[in-house]
Amino acid sequence: MSPSRRVVITGAGCVTAIGNSVPEFCESLFASRSGIAPIELQPEQKLNFSSVAQVKNFLAESFLPFSLILLTERSAQFGLVAAKQAAGESQLLADYSPESVAVVMGCAVGGREADEPEVVKLYNRQGRVHPFTVPRVMASSGASQISILFGITGPVLNFSTACASSAHAIGHAFHMIRAGMVEAALAGGHEAPLTYGFLKAWEALRVVSPTSCRPFSAARDGMTLGEGGAVLVLEERERAVRRGVPIYAELCGFGMSSDAFHITQPRPAGPVSAMRKALSDAQLHPADVTYINAHGTGTEANDRAEAEAIQEVFGEAGGCPPVSSTKALHGHTIGAAGAIEALATILALKHRQLPVSVGAEPVDPALRFNLVHTPSNFVPSSALSNSFAFGGLNASLLFSKHEG
Amino acid sequence: MQAPSYDAVLESCIELVAKSRKLSPESIAPETSFEALGADSLDMINLSFEVEELFDVQIPDESLSSIHTVEDMARGVSALISAKTAASVEKPA
């Protein structure tokens, strides 16, 4: 079946370690300016890693009413601010009825900053838990609050599929629009996982880099956690063209799979399947893809499995499009990763520039594809954004340059 | 420890309500209703929590629905403080 309805991106917003708006993010992305920096800890707190990708200078009160700040935690606030930027840019709600719009977000961890201090109080001094803890902690808080803020009454969903959450969110919003269930969507994700307790949990898992993440490098020694949010406006192409709004790119394919193998260990078969399904969904061939934004966490296991998968789908060396991971810039933002990296991918298409795979030198000799080492222009055609999560939950989004 | 006077409790309640609603204390009178301040049920739970934290008392769930004005809140809190003070005096050393 050939899908008749096509879906384009007409707005974007973000709050990240490398910029709290799309222009700032874009500038840092193409300047390879990393947001990874040493974390500030209390004297009694100890971690065996020191770097995270923290959002800086984020003042929720500059963007959101006090009553909303009171009811939300940092994670949902990132999503709300990104959604405001995206909706404002596309003028979405001026042209669509509230019931024809969906909100589809990805948040895996939920509001840790609202949860951990309350638990500490409770266990340490029989303190009491703040009555807003539940509404602040809920992983779906961001999706709900976005719908309330804008009065959107169509479907509102939150995906919690670990590091693929917001890729799943964007992909499902895309399919909902293509199928005619809704006309438009605010889709993306948000996460604020940099609390001491959660960082200790990651430390215990022994996958965090003691230095800084270096995806696909021979010297890679783990991931670097980050926080942030990104939201895209998706809408049906013909209507977007009639509205006359600027179009970033077309979202043309979405593929999903699961490894059904292990809760933390990946293997290539699942990612291969997700990428092939995205291509098939878009009715495109591997040769049509001119850039891959890899999941590329910088862990030994992810990068090896993902490299094998990319090589299997796209071939080796010259046959494979250039690949980069942007996680050495904005960190691994868990539930927000898919949305932030989808944004990086559509900006690459829009600006005809490839983001550098920062920190990849010296490259893992087992790799048989070209990493982007220096800022370079390319001929934008289609670009893939991969999200391969713990638990073997895989999502690939395929974007194409919009032919206006 | 001596229990605060009703007037002191009322003043503290007014300050707390003003802060939570982003209003000046002068704009809130004892008889000001929470409905007039636009406070919904969730806001009332939050206000009650804050007043409980401030005075180290526990407002019973069934009493919440009878708090309509700032004065109601101050009277309820005063009564809880008095009951608590009396209980601590009666308690054997």
Side-chain angles (χ1 to χ4, degrees):
Chain A
M1 186 191 78
S2 173
S4 56
R5 282 164 66 94
R6 293 166 66 178
V7 177
V8 292
I9 293 135
T10 57
C14 69
V15 177
T16 71
I18 59 169
N20 294 344
S21 67
V22 172
E24 283 177 29
F25 177 87
C26 188
E27 194 190 331
S28 300
L29 178 73
F30 294 122
S32 301
R33 196 178 302 130
S34 178
I36 293 174
I39 186 170
E40 282 181 24
L41 295 171
Q42 299 299 317
E44 70 279 12
Q45 297 177 336
K46 299 277 179 275
L47 278 174
N48 66 10
F49 59 91
S50 59
S51 295
V52 292
Q54 245 168 339
V55 168
K56 290 119 194 147
N57 307 318
F58 176 72
L59 296 171
E61 54 271 30
S62 303
F63 308 100
L64 305 172
F66 173 72
S67 57
L68 191 49
I69 292 169
L70 198 62
L71 275 171
T72 51
E73 184 267 5
R74 191 167 170 88
S75 170
Q77 289 167 9
F78 290 158
L80 279 156
V81 171
K84 275 190 87 169
Q85 293 171 7
E89 182 181 23
S90 72
Q91 288 299 300
L92 178 76
L93 295 156
D95 286 318
Y96 287 93
S97 63
E99 70 274 12
S100 70
V101 180
V103 177
V104 191
M105 301 302 289
C107 174
V109 175
R112 297 287 304 195
E113 279 201 355
D115 192 23
E116 276 187 30
E118 299 305 303
V119 173
V120 168
K121 272 195 315 193
L122 194 62
Y123 283 97
N124 280 352
R125 59 168 179 86
Q126 293 291 300
R128 300 167 61 220
V129 174
H130 194 280
F132 287 0
T133 304
V134 171
R136 287 172 181 164
V137 164
M138 289 157 39
S140 56
S141 156
S144 289
Q145 295 291 6
I146 289 168
S147 77
I148 293 165
L149 182 66
F150 293 110
I152 292 170
T153 54
V156 176
L157 302 165
N158 180 72
F159 281 81
S160 174
T161 50
C163 311
S165 299
S166 50
H168 277 129
I170 293 168
H172 279 84
F174 160 51
H175 280 183
M176 286 163 75
I177 297 168
R178 199 173 64 180
M181 290 171 67
V182 292
E183 294 301 316
L186 285 166
H190 53 86
E191 206 79 90
L194 305 181
T195 57
Y196 182 58
F198 203 55
L199 292 174
K200 288 301 280 184
W202 280 97
E203 177 188 277
L205 206 49
R206 297 170 189 262
V207 293
V208 181
S209 167
T211 53
S212 188
C213 80
R214 281 163 288 175
F216 301 114
S217 168
R220 67 183 181 270
D221 55 7
M223 59 189 277
T224 297
L225 288 153
E227 62 176 353
V231 173
L232 305 179
V233 172
L234 310 183
E235 61 180 298
E236 194 268 321
R237 181 178 175 274
E238 281 186 23
R239 184 139 172 205
V241 170
R242 276 204 308 275
R243 291 202 309 130
V245 286
I247 292 172
Y248 278 86
E250 178 172 354
L251 175 48
C252 55
F254 173 44
M256 294 180 280
S257 71
S258 66
D259 294 354
F261 171 60
H262 194 276
I263 198 66
T264 57
Q265 290 298 312
R267 63 177 180 185
V272 165
S273 172
M275 287 187 277
R276 286 193 170 140
K277 284 175 178 168
L279 286 164
S280 164
D281 193 42
Q283 300 182 341
L284 291 175
H285 302 286
D288 297 319
V289 176
T290 51
Y291 169 59
I292 298 173
N293 186 292
H295 187 57
T297 59
T299 64
E300 183 59 34
N302 174 84
D303 291 7
R304 187 177 56 240
E306 185 172 11
E308 279 182 38
I310 288 172
Q311 284 155 191
E312 187 171 332
V313 175
F314 292 94
E316 296 177 3
C320 187
V323 176
S324 65
S325 165
T326 48
K327 283 193 171 70
L329 304 179
H330 48 65
H332 190 347
T333 57
I334 318 289
I340 291 172
E341 290 155 34
L343 176 60
T345 308
I346 62 172
L347 289 172
L349 286 170
K350 185 181 175 195
H351 295 282
R352 299 169 168 262
Q353 281 189 67
L354 294 173
V356 170
S357 206
V358 171
E361 305 272 8
V363 174
D364 183 344
L367 287 191
R368 295 187 300 280
F369 55 67
N370 294 322
L371 281 172
V372 182
H373 292 294
T374 52
S376 38
N377 296 330
F378 77 125
V379 178
S381 172
S382 296
L384 193 70
S385 178
N386 284 337
S387 297
F388 303 140
F390 268 0
L393 310 182
N394 308 304
S396 291
L397 295 166
L398 187 53
F399 299 92
S400 285
K401 180 179 178 295
H402 172 67
E403 304 292 348
Chain B
M1 197 187 77
Q2 202 179 348
S5 68
Y6 168 75
D7 285 348
V9 171
L10 178 64
E11 194 182 341
S12 295
C13 285
I14 286 174
E15 278 174 17
L16 193 144
V17 170
K19 193 176 164 204
S20 76
R21 307 307 297 170
K22 293 264 178 193
L23 297 167
S24 72
E26 295 73 35
S27 67
I28 297 172
E31 61 277 16
T32 302
S33 75
F34 291 108
E35 192 182 355
L37 294 172
D40 62 18
S41 60
L42 205 52
D43 295 324
M44 288 308 295
I45 289 170
N46 188 41
L47 276 171
S48 302
F49 175 80
E50 292 195 0
V51 96
E52 286 174 338
E53 289 279 283
L54 188 62
F55 294 106
D56 194 23
V57 293
Q58 187 92 46
I59 300 170
D61 289 356
E62 61 275 17
S63 303
L64 265 185
S65 58
S66 59
I67 300 174
H68 302 292
T69 64
V70 181
E71 197 169 26
D72 292 341
M73 178 177 270
R75 284 194 197 290
V77 168
S78 268
L80 288 166
I81 293 169
S82 299
K84 196 176 152 195
T85 310
S88 69
V89 168
E90 284 165 17
K91 205 183 281 179

